[in-house]
């Protein structure tokens, strides 16, 4: 990996190269939408990424806090992309707690095996709207 501390690289391009988002357009959308914070502040996709900067980003239900360790313009294999950043221990612990809470919630409120049929839907609507006896 080439380090370019003097030039820097755009934030959206770095997020794409580090494999946080599948496309650059998606990375740009996330930055514009406020899902990515650079050193604790919202920023633009054109913000130049520097070494040891702190990024907080959301991916679905997960929120990660990472420290930039390398800067490159090229999208490399996932094994090399992991070397471009280091996730903080607090971030890892928080993600594990949230994942466990999601799993426990799924166990306490299971989804039915199938969708209700027409009669069951009508009965549910009657019940919800207070037409039950």
């Amino acid at each position: 990996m080439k380090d370019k501390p003097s030039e820097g690289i755009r934030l959206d391009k770095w997020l794409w190269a580090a494999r946080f988002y599948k496309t650059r357009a998606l990375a740009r959308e996330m930055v514009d939408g406020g899902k990515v914070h650079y050193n604790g502040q919202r920023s633009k996709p054109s913000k130049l990424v520097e070494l040891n900067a702190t990024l907080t980003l959301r991916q679905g239900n997960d929120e990660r806090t990472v420290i930039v360790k390398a800067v490159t313009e090229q999208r490399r294999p996932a094994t090399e992309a992991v070397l471009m950043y280091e996730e903080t221990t607090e971030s890892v612990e928080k993600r594990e707690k949230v994942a466990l809470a999601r799993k426990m919630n799924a166990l306490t409120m299971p989804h039915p095996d199938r969708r209700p049929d027409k009669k069951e839907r009508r009965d549910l609507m009657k019940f919800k709207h207070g037409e039950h006896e």
Side-chain angles (χ1 to χ4, degrees):
M1 279 188 261
K2 296 181 206 172
D3 290 337
K4 294 185 179 181
S6 59
E7 286 181 35
I9 183 174
R10 290 173 53 103
L11 179 57
D12 60 342
K13 201 167 190 178
W14 187 87
L15 289 167
W16 167 76
R19 293 186 172 264
F20 284 109
Y21 299 108
K22 199 169 188 174
T23 63
R24 251 184 90 185
L26 184 59
R28 183 184 183 98
E29 259 180 52
M30 293 296 144
V31 175
D32 281 336
K35 304 282 192 265
V36 178
H37 289 188
Y38 185 86
N39 287 335
Q41 296 181 347
R42 278 184 74 163
S43 60
K44 295 181 178 181
S46 60
K47 172 79 175 160
L48 294 180
V49 176
E50 299 167 349
L51 293 178
N52 297 319
T54 304
L55 294 173
T56 305
L57 52 115
R58 291 194 63 80
Q59 291 179 298
N61 294 325
D62 293 334
E63 184 171 305
R64 296 173 180 245
T65 303
V66 297
I67 299 168
V68 177
K69 293 295 178 188
V71 178
T72 183
E73 287 187 6
Q74 292 182 326
R75 187 170 169 101
R76 307 295 301 159
T79 53
E80 292 179 32
V82 173
L83 303 174
M84 291 176 60
Y85 60 90
E86 178 184 328
E87 189 170 4
T88 62
T89 54
E90 297 87 20
S91 173
V92 173
E93 290 170 5
K94 187 176 176 182
R95 275 193 311 115
E96 288 173 354
K97 278 184 190 175
V98 170
L100 182 63
R102 261 197 324 266
K103 187 175 181 182
M104 296 310 264
N105 189 29
L107 292 175
T108 59
M109 299 179 70
H111 290 287
D113 295 332
R114 60 178 182 78
R115 292 178 58 184
D117 61 19
K118 193 171 185 175
K119 182 180 183 324
E120 292 169 338
R121 279 197 304 272
R122 285 182 180 157
D123 291 342
L124 282 170
M125 293 304 286
K126 281 181 186 177
F127 182 77
K128 284 183 180 180
H129 295 297
E131 297 174 18
H132 61 282
E133 299 164 3

